[in-house]
């Protein structure tokens, strides 16, 4: 479900139109721009440079929560511990 493919899927699932004031979308990827532009409340989570710029232009909320890892190796360790139930 990349880019514009998301919208037909959302429509098929009965999620469109979503013109309600309480419609929300969260993303960290420009692949979700069609969805973000569709809702009333778009939130970008740890966006990259391009999505950060678009969010500023659109007036969207940008959140940068602390990640539970410092590097890709740390991230792999977190995932491995979760898989092993540790």
């Amino acid at each position: 479900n990349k880019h514009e493919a998301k919208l037909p899927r959302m429509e098929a699932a009965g999620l469109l139109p979503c013109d309600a004031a309480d419609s929300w979308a969260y993303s960290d990827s420009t692949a979700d721009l069609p969805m973000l532009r569709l809702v009333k409340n778009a939130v970008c989570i740890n966006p990259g440079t391009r999505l950060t710029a678009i969010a500023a232009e659109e007036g969207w909320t940008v959140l940068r929560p602390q990640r539970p890892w410092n590097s890709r190796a740390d991230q792999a360790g977190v995932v491995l511990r979760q898989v092993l139930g540790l």
Side-chain angles (χ1 to χ4, degrees):
N1 289 332
K2 291 287 186 177
H3 302 281
E4 287 77 20
K6 290 185 179 203
L7 299 184
R9 298 253 182 180
M10 290 173 67
E11 188 171 32
L15 300 173
L16 296 180
C18 56
D19 56 356
D22 62 349
S23 59
W24 291 80
Y26 299 85
S27 181
D28 64 352
S29 171
T30 56
D32 293 324
L33 284 174
M35 180 180 65
L36 291 168
R37 289 186 169 130
L38 185 68
V39 298
K40 298 292 182 186
N41 303 287
V43 181
C44 300
I45 310 293
N46 288 327
T49 305
R50 183 169 174 239
L51 187 54
T52 297
I54 294 169
E57 291 172 9
E58 299 281 348
W60 297 338
T61 300
V62 172
L63 299 177
R64 297 188 186 279
Q66 184 176 354
R67 293 181 175 163
W69 58 84
N70 296 318
S71 67
R72 292 211 184 265
D74 287 345
Q75 180 183 8
V78 168
V79 171
L80 182 60
R81 285 192 297 277
Q82 288 175 340
V83 168
L84 296 174
L86 302 174

